[in-house]
Amino acid sequence: LSTGRTMVAERWPVGEVIDRAAFLLRLPVSGPATRGRPIRIDQMTAGLLDVRFDIGGDGSSLVLHGEREIVEARRTLLGRVTPCVGRDWELSSLEALVHRCLDEPAATAVVITGAAGVGKSRLRDELLRKVRTGEAPVEIWLGRGDPVNRGAPFGLIAPALRQSAGVLDGEPLSLQRQKIEARVARHLRGPERARVSEFLGELLGVPFPDEQRVQLRAARAEPALMADQIKRAWEDFLAAETEATPLLIVLDDLHCGDLPSVKLLDA
């Protein structure tokens, strides 16, 4: 499956999208030739598919395995869903802030604090359920602070980005790069796409080769320059994302997070 614009010469379509499809067809088939064989896809197609779809590959191309089962977790007691009680004011306030961001549009940060067990996670779950079932489509990224790696640079925001791009631990490095490039290409066009992909790769711990990449090589030699380039790539990426669709970033256990992640969100 190859996606893109093309031109029709007489009766036959020609152009880059057809060339990409032809390239995918020429690749050797991996695995048994059965009905369950995955579908080879190009980067444009992969970038248009969200996290619901299971995308893999072998380093030579991306493949679509299928659609993931994403089930909304609901709190139950003896098998029955329990209602959320005592949080009407907080929940309505959060919903109002979400609607304001959708209508204006605007960027808003909210910090929820409270003792352990007071119901912060339940409040988060109820808000996400309402956002997901609302009329307006909203992209949702989920990150979590890790008490084991407390303070590790970008440890809070990187999981949210990896989930959004479908990047999984243990995958070949070449496949992780392809997924990052595909995710960036979903909404970002033009020559900046390569730069944003490379520096988001630095944020995610997925290094790109720096041969003939002067900016990337220079940043790797100077930590302050690298921090500036990562921030620039992050802002360019979010600008393209939020121009296309509203974005809600939810970070659990912020107290176990890291300052670089917070600075990116603040920017």
Side-chain angles (χ1 to χ4, degrees), residues 213-227:
R213 305 298 298 176
V214 177
Q215 283 185 318
L216 183 58
R217 189 163 58 250
R220 284 174 174 167
E222 178 55 54
L225 180 58
M226 176 62 77

Side-chain angles (χ1 to χ4, degrees), residues 149-178:
N149 297 313
R150 185 191 297 259
F154 307 117
L156 192 62
I157 198 65
L161 273 177
R162 293 177 73 90
Q163 182 190 52
S164 174
V167 174
L168 304 177
D169 291 332
E171 290 180 326
L173 187 59
S174 58
L175 177 57
Q176 294 187 52
R177 291 169 180 162
Q178 285 182 315

Side-chain angles (χ1 to χ4, degrees), residues 66-213:
E67 190 173 4
R68 292 192 177 99
E69 292 288 340
I70 297 182
V71 180
E72 182 71 25
R74 304 296 302 276
R75 304 299 176 93
T76 61
L77 178 64
L78 300 178
R80 295 186 178 183
V81 176
T82 60
C84 180
V85 296
R87 289 289 178 264
D88 292 343
W89 182 86
E90 291 90 342
L91 189 56
S92 61
S93 298
L94 290 172
E95 286 186 89
L97 285 171
V98 170
H99 289 306
R100 191 184 77 178
C101 290
L102 296 177
D103 293 339
E104 290 191 7
T108 299
V110 178
V111 180
I112 301 175
T113 62
V118 77
K120 300 186 297 297
S121 296
R122 182 59 190 268
L123 183 61
R124 172 208 62 202
D125 294 343
E126 288 299 314
L127 176 65
L128 291 181
R129 182 177 64 83
K130 288 181 176 292
V131 170
R132 284 175 174 143
T133 57
E135 295 182 359
V138 178
E139 179 90 2
I140 298 175
W141 296 357
L142 303 175
R144 181 184 297 275
D146 185 357
V148 176
N149 297 313
R150 185 191 297 259
F154 307 117
L156 192 62
I157 198 65
L161 273 177
R162 293 177 73 90
Q163 182 190 52
S164 174
V167 174
L168 304 177
D169 291 332
E171 290 180 326
L173 187 59
S174 58
L175 177 57
Q176 294 187 52
R177 291 169 180 162
Q178 285 182 315
K179 287 187 175 183
I180 293 171
E181 290 172 332
R183 183 63 183 84
V184 170
R186 183 185 298 180
H187 298 305
L188 188 63
R189 300 288 183 262
E192 297 299 297
R193 193 167 62 189
R195 173 185 58 82
V196 171
S197 297
E198 290 165 356
F199 285 103
L200 287 184
E202 295 294 307
L203 188 156
L204 298 177
V206 182
F208 281 70
D210 59 11
E211 292 82 2
Q212 299 180 348
R213 305 298 298 176

Side-chain angles (χ1 to χ4, degrees), residues 13-71:
V14 297
E16 183 184 353
V17 64
I18 301 299
D19 294 340
R20 290 201 305 268
F23 170 77
L24 294 175
L25 285 173
R26 288 196 298 268
L27 294 174
V29 175
S30 58
T34 65
R35 293 177 61 187
R37 196 169 60 198
I39 303 167
R40 291 193 183 275
I41 58 177
D42 65 351
Q43 286 190 359
M44 178 68 73
T45 305
L48 294 171
L49 300 175
D50 60 29
V51 73
R52 292 179 296 118
F53 295 92
D54 182 12
I55 299 173
D58 53 12
S60 62
S61 71
L62 297 168
V63 294
L64 174 62
H65 292 299
E67 190 173 4
R68 292 192 177 99
E69 292 288 340
I70 297 182
V71 180

